[in-house]
Amino acid sequence: MTEVLSLRHLRKSFGALKVTDDVTLEVRAGEIHALIGPNGAGKSTLIAQICGELPSDAGTVHFQDRDITPLSAFKRARLGLGRSFQTTQLCLEFTVLEHVILSPDCMGGGSFNLFANPRNDAGLRDEALHWIGKAGLGGRENRQVANLAHGERRQLELAVALARKPHVLVLDEPMAGMGAEESTRMVTLLQELKGQYPMLLVEHDMDAVFTLADRVSVLVYGRVIFTGTVDQVRQDAEVRSAYLGDD
Amino acid sequence: MPKPDRFAITGLIMLVLLILAPIVVVQTGWHGGLPLFTRIVIYALAVVSLDLIIGYGALISFGHAMFFSLGGYMVAILAHHTNAGDLIFGWAGSNSAFILWPLALLACALLGLVIGYLALKTRGVQFIMITLAFAQMVYFLLVSLQYYGGDDGLMMDTRNTMAVVDLDNPWSLYYLALGILVIWVLFCRFIVNSRFGMVFQGLRQSERRAINLGVNPLPFRLTAFVISAVGTGMAGILWANYAQFVTPDMATWAKSGEFMAIVTLGGLGTLLGPIAGAAAFIGLEQILTIWTEHWMIVMGPVLVLIALFGQQGMLGRFLKGGRHD
Ligand SMILES: Nc1ncnc2c1ncn2[C@@H]1O[C@H](COP(=O)(O)OP(=O)(O)OP(=O)(O)O)[C@@H](O)[C@H]1O
Ligand SMILES: [Mg+2]
């Protein structure tokens, strides 16, 4: 199976604290690879290293057979690395439509056209509306982002990422802070997207992980202690004691 | 039914007022009215430019007076040499606005490019301090230019010449400045609504998100900074032609502070708000100077109160309201 994203021996320390300790894992074409681990295990730090927000101390990140380790964050994004953030990062003053229009508009790094108003570009509008509908935000396109509920912002983050036609999605706890109903809707949405986009999914909710994931890696104190299929995780004693609770 | 465009309505009302007000005021017999409105319009040009980067990009420049002074000094110095019959690097010089003004604006763009590039390596308070520091360097440079009057400044014996418009006629100068202001506001409005402007504003609202959309922040911010520098430089050019006199005071931190205060006073990120801010600030200054020479003692607290309580400024709430559901 072909690897889309592959991390090789990544390391990162904050002072004496090893937050990423020789992490090697890959995301294969079409799969959802879940990354689980207790609070503070280093999951978000690992994502920051993948996306180029944080430089790694050692190791490499390969994306579609290309070593992207030396590339800055915006260049990695241009290659098709889409993501969502653990705490939503959105432009609060835009409307939903404006925000999603910005995505395809920035595909090549953003335009220096000082006069054309992208809001009047019918092609971009239609494209944006398509992804807004896909993310379950249909009918709310003229709502200002600041006025969206928490769950809706999560959906918007996904729409914003999808509208860039990413080649991989790196999602940092997309269900965090959502109510039960919202979570269920998000799981359904991710299930629909499964197969179309390879995903690295950080998630605490084990039900969601077992529903969605093909493979699971377990991160504890910056180390991957286990990688395997969902069934293997269920059975593995070490994982149970480290993370799932031995009951 | 489409919502009425508050920007267009407000802009139109302001334009009509600015066209008519000096005529009416002078009709009442007060001849200080025209210079007053000329100063308002020139300041407005500078603060609209500053609003472009502060209001829309959160690039808080505390050094914009350097571009104001550079624009002014460029035309004053070139006029000085031309009138003295000196060669300027082998060039006999000119008094034509069509030659001098583009040269002065080019100088402002270059200064903006260099200083913007260096300052944009920092963020937040550091950005404020570094722009301030560069402006202070420009200030001390101007003070040290003994040949151009040093501390005392430089007189401009003749105003620049322009084909159709007679700049020696104060009415022509006023309406020219007003025309330039209108064009500049429309230009800035286009920028703000453009593809470029959307990215530029997106960077302010969430830099991490914008970067993950593939945006390299520096070129966008630098472009906006240079455009802002050019607009402020144009205000300096007009000022030199209005006052026929340039001084290093044009580059002081107090002048930069005034510009920032006016933008805040009028309403950040509205383009039109700062014009109202300029009118209020310069009008108040005029009234207070008649009353006491220590007008800043009154103006200071007024500005602090506005900064503390009127977060949206004079027009911010109105112009930013009613845009969304
Ligand atoms: N910039 C930083 N400087 C110092 N320490 C940091 C920094 N960022 C993260 N850490 C530490 O690194 C460890 C891993 O943090 P990280 O956010 O990656 O964990 P996480 O697995 O995403 O946790 P959570 O499940 O709570 O989101 C934590 O102990 C955190 O305090
Ligand atoms: Mg985290």
Side-chain angles (χ1 to χ4, degrees), chain A residues 231-247:
Chain A
D231 289 334
Q232 286 170 321
V233 177
R234 280 207 174 99
Q235 285 149 17
D236 189 273
E238 199 184 347
V239 175
R240 296 172 73 107
S241 67
Y243 188 58
L244 297 180
D246 225 350
D247 46 42

Side-chain angles (χ1 to χ4, degrees), chain A:
Chain A
M1 258 214 215
T2 52
E3 300 166 355
V4 179
L5 184 68
S6 121
L7 320 181
R8 298 177 195 164
H9 306 291
L10 276 187
R11 290 177 185 278
K12 180 78 198 175
S13 299
F14 293 116
L17 182 68
K18 286 185 185 171
V19 183
T20 304
D21 191 0
D22 197 27
V23 168
T24 294
L25 64 82
E26 81 273 1
V27 179
R28 297 170 184 161
E31 82 167 344
I32 294 187
H33 190 142
L35 182 66
I36 62 174
N39 287 327
K43 305 178 296 291
S44 296
T45 305
L46 190 64
I47 287 183
Q49 288 173 270
I50 294 171
C51 296
E53 279 189 341
L54 265 184
S56 299
D57 296 340
T60 56
V61 181
H62 287 253
F63 180 43
Q64 295 180 314
D65 295 323
R66 179 171 171 186
D67 184 358
I68 60 167
T69 320
L71 299 186
S72 50
F74 68 86
K75 284 190 182 142
R76 296 185 196 200
R78 284 181 201 174
L79 292 176
L81 199 68
R83 74 175 292 191
S84 74
F85 296 81
Q86 184 168 356
T87 44
T88 51
Q89 299 289 329
L90 291 166
C91 303
L92 298 181
E93 288 174 18
F94 288 147
T95 64
V96 169
L97 183 63
E98 285 173 331
H99 209 316
V100 181
I101 279 178
L102 196 58
S103 290
D105 208 34
C106 286
M107 212 95 95
S111 165
F112 274 78
N113 187 325
L114 294 178
F115 293 101
N117 186 338
R119 298 164 190 84
N120 302 334
D121 183 325
L124 280 179
R125 279 180 79 96
D126 289 348
E127 204 179 328
L129 286 171
H130 168 77
W131 293 114
I132 290 169
K134 197 103 179 164
L137 287 172
R140 270 158 285 182
E141 57 268 11
N142 291 324
R143 194 80 70 78
Q144 197 183 349
V145 177
N147 297 334
L148 292 181
H150 177 78
E152 293 173 320
R153 291 190 193 189
R154 292 258 152 211
Q155 289 167 288
L156 177 58
E157 279 227 323
L158 204 59
V160 162
L162 289 173
R164 310 193 67 245
K165 302 195 175 64
H167 300 302
V168 72
L169 282 174
V170 180
L171 307 176
D172 197 350
E173 302 193 26
M175 268 81 88
M178 280 185 163
E181 202 180 313
E182 288 173 326
S183 295
T184 314
R185 214 179 307 137
M186 182 59 87
V187 171
T188 314
L189 174 57
L190 292 177
Q191 233 161 352
E192 276 173 38
L193 298 174
K194 184 170 170 166
Q196 301 171 47
Y197 304 90
M199 290 184 221
L200 182 65
L201 173 69
V202 171
E203 190 46 61
H204 276 299
D205 178 355
M206 291 313 294
D207 288 337
V209 168
F210 287 140
T211 312
L212 290 168
D214 298 293
R215 291 192 303 149
V216 179
S217 288
V218 183
L219 194 72
V220 178
Y221 294 121
R223 294 187 75 89
V224 176
I225 60 163
F226 178 91
T227 297
T229 63
V230 170
D231 289 334
Q232 286 170 321
V233 177
R234 280 207 174 99
Q235 285 149 17
D236 189 273
E238 199 184 347
V239 175
R240 296 172 73 107
S241 67
Y243 188 58
L244 297 180
D246 225 350
D247 46 42

Side-chain angles (χ1 to χ4, degrees), chain A residues 53 74 77-78 83 89 91-93 95 98 105-106 109 112-114 116-119 121 144 157 164, chain B residues 187 190-191 193-196 198 202 204-206 208-209 211-216 219-220 223 324-325:
Chain A
E53 279 189 341
F74 68 86
R78 284 181 201 174
R83 74 175 292 191
Q89 299 289 329
C91 303
L92 298 181
E93 288 174 18
T95 64
E98 285 173 331
D105 208 34
C106 286
F112 274 78
N113 187 325
L114 294 178
N117 186 338
R119 298 164 190 84
D121 183 325
Q144 197 183 349
E157 279 227 323
R164 310 193 67 245
Chain B
F187 176 65
F190 266 114
I191 293 179
N193 284 332
S194 71
R195 290 171 192 279
F196 171 88
M198 209 161 164
R204 168 177 51 89
Q205 298 171 53
S206 174
R208 288 177 83 191
R209 170 53 68 194
I211 287 175
N212 189 251
L213 294 181
V215 172
N216 181 6
F220 284 89
T223 304
H324 304 296
D325 294 5

Side-chain angles (χ1 to χ4, degrees), chain B residues 38-324:
Chain B
T38 310
R39 289 201 299 280
I40 288 174
V41 166
I42 293 175
Y43 263 59
L45 187 58
V47 293
V48 166
S49 309
L50 187 57
D51 189 28
L52 185 67
I53 57 168
I54 297 189
Y56 294 90
L59 305 177
I60 304 174
S61 166
F62 197 173
H64 253 46
M66 70 181 134
F67 304 116
F68 187 65
S69 67
L70 182 64
Y73 265 85
M74 277 294 290
V75 290
I77 287 175
L78 290 171
H80 177 76
H81 285 291
T82 304
N83 294 335
D86 300 341
L87 288 184
I88 307 160
F89 300 115
W91 171 51
S94 163
N95 268 324
S96 165
F98 292 118
I99 295 170
L100 296 188
W101 294 12
L103 273 177
L105 294 177
L106 187 67
C108 292
L110 287 176
L111 185 70
L113 194 66
V114 172
I115 285 169
Y117 181 79
L118 296 171
L120 284 168
K121 300 215 173 282
T122 66
R123 209 40 48 77
V125 177
Q126 270 187 305
F127 182 84
I128 300 177
M129 298 314 283
I130 201 165
T131 46
L132 173 63
F134 280 119
Q136 285 302 95
M137 283 166 59
V138 171
Y139 170 74
F140 286 116
L141 179 77
L142 295 178
V143 168
S144 71
L145 292 176
Q146 288 305 326
Y147 184 75
Y148 300 118
D151 247 341
D152 299 329
L154 182 65
M155 298 285 286
M156 205 166 140
D157 298 333
T158 55
R159 292 194 170 88
N160 299 138
T161 55
M162 205 177 244
V164 192
V165 187
D166 174 16
L167 296 181
D168 281 324
N169 178 334
W171 289 98
S172 310
L173 183 63
Y174 174 73
Y175 286 109
L176 176 72
L178 183 58
I180 292 174
L181 177 65
V182 170
I183 291 168
W184 193 248
V185 168
L186 289 174
F187 176 65
C188 290
R189 176 77 174 164
F190 266 114
I191 293 179
V192 163
N193 284 332
S194 71
R195 290 171 192 279
F196 171 88
M198 209 161 164
V199 176
F200 182 60
Q201 293 176 73
L203 275 167
R204 168 177 51 89
Q205 298 171 53
S206 174
E207 180 166 327
R208 288 177 83 191
R209 170 53 68 194
I211 287 175
N212 189 251
L213 294 181
V215 172
N216 181 6
L218 183 68
F220 284 89
R221 292 192 165 133
L222 190 53
T223 304
F225 192 85
V226 169
I227 291 171
S228 174
V230 167
T232 310
M234 187 66 232
I237 293 172
L238 289 171
W239 184 268
N241 276 279
Y242 157 76
Q244 285 193 280
F245 186 43
V246 291
T247 65
D249 280 354
M250 290 173 80
T252 52
W253 65 268
K255 184 69 70 186
S256 296
E258 260 174 48
F259 290 158
M260 289 166 71
I262 293 172
V263 174
T264 319
L265 174 66
L268 284 168
T270 61
L271 297 178
L272 294 178
I275 300 177
F281 185 93
I282 307 242
L284 204 56
E285 181 192 43
Q286 177 91 27
I287 295 166
L288 293 176
T289 14
I290 295 170
W291 182 46
T292 161
E293 64 177 289
H294 303 294
W295 60 276
M296 250 307 173
I297 294 175
V298 181
M299 187 73 101
V302 168
L303 290 177
V304 170
L305 285 178
I306 286 165
L308 284 178
F309 298 109
Q311 301 215 339
Q312 303 252 39
M314 294 163 65
L315 292 183
R317 195 173 302 275
F318 176 71
L319 285 169
K320 284 185 166 180
R323 265 198 316 201
H324 304 296

